[in-house]
Amino acid sequence: MSNDTFVEPKLAEALQHWSDYTGESLQNERVVLQAITPLKDSAQLSQQLIESLRESGWPTSAWPDPTRLSQAAAELTDIQLAAWNRMLDGYSTFLKTSVEAGSRLGEVAQQDGDPQRQLAAWLEAWLAITRQYQSDFSNQLSNLNAIQAAYRAWWQKTLQSAGKG
């Protein structure tokens, strides 16, 4: 560090990385929050159910075919098992990231040197860890979207099948 600079360049760089990351994160958060629409999704499913009931003439129509009900239940079970496995994979990834984070922070803690360079190393390590957690979270959101799509497709297929008496 030169005499005319108060802040170590590595520290200034680490702070800039955090500032950039914060801005990116806020934009990503807005996108994620706009994509999650539980009330709209519920309204769509309710509308589909009402339309299916109208088309089938329910409740005056006969009970649905037991074979179709059994098949729908088996398909739902398959979806639920796949969803469970995806969620477990996500938790395993989170734990792996946590272990790696501990190792990375342990390495940084063993470094000697100028306090500002140490702080810069800590900030860079935490940023890398935070980015990895964010990546894990994004993957988990993608999994949740796929699970939601599978449930929605199952629901629509089941409604259509039930209406075919």
Side-chain angles (χ1 to χ4, degrees):
M1 177 165 63
S2 67
N3 291 334
D4 59 345
T5 344
F6 180 69
V7 177
E8 164 69 40
K10 292 277 186 192
L11 180 56
E13 185 179 324
L15 291 171
Q16 183 60 48
H17 290 160
W18 269 101
S19 177
D20 295 344
Y21 171 77
T22 302
E24 292 169 16
S25 293
L26 289 173
Q27 289 175 336
N28 291 339
E29 181 183 347
R30 280 188 218 111
V31 169
V32 168
L33 290 176
Q34 289 173 352
I36 298 173
T37 57
L39 294 178
K40 179 182 170 190
D41 294 343
S42 294
Q44 283 178 329
L45 289 174
S46 297
Q47 184 63 33
Q48 289 172 351
L49 176 61
I50 290 168
E51 288 173 16
S52 177
L53 292 175
R54 258 192 231 135
E55 289 173 9
S56 69
W58 188 87
T60 58
S61 66
W63 284 98
D65 179 13
T67 304
R68 285 187 190 160
L69 286 176
S70 176
Q71 181 181 2
E75 290 170 359
L76 180 60
T77 300
D78 289 343
I79 292 169
Q80 289 174 321
L81 286 173
W84 177 252
N85 287 330
R86 280 192 171 194
M87 297 303 292
L88 286 178
D89 288 346
Y91 293 134
S92 294
T93 300
F94 173 79
L95 292 175
K96 180 182 172 195
T97 298
S98 296
V99 169
E100 291 170 359
S103 295
R104 175 175 268 155
L105 291 175
E107 291 170 8
V108 171
Q110 294 175 4
Q111 294 178 0
D112 291 329
D114 176 81
Q116 287 192 28
R117 284 189 181 190
Q118 286 179 326
L119 179 57
W122 277 100
L123 287 172
E124 291 292 358
W126 273 110
L127 181 59
I129 292 165
T130 303
R131 285 186 187 274
Q132 185 58 53
Y133 279 126
Q134 183 180 32
S135 174
D136 295 348
F137 178 72
S138 293
N139 288 337
Q140 197 66 346
L141 274 180
S142 177
N143 285 337
L144 290 173
N145 284 334
I147 291 166
Q148 182 183 25
Y151 278 124
R152 189 176 291 135
W154 172 85
W155 178 249
Q156 289 173 344
K157 179 182 174 189
T158 301
L159 285 178
Q160 288 172 353
S161 175
K164 292 181 181 177

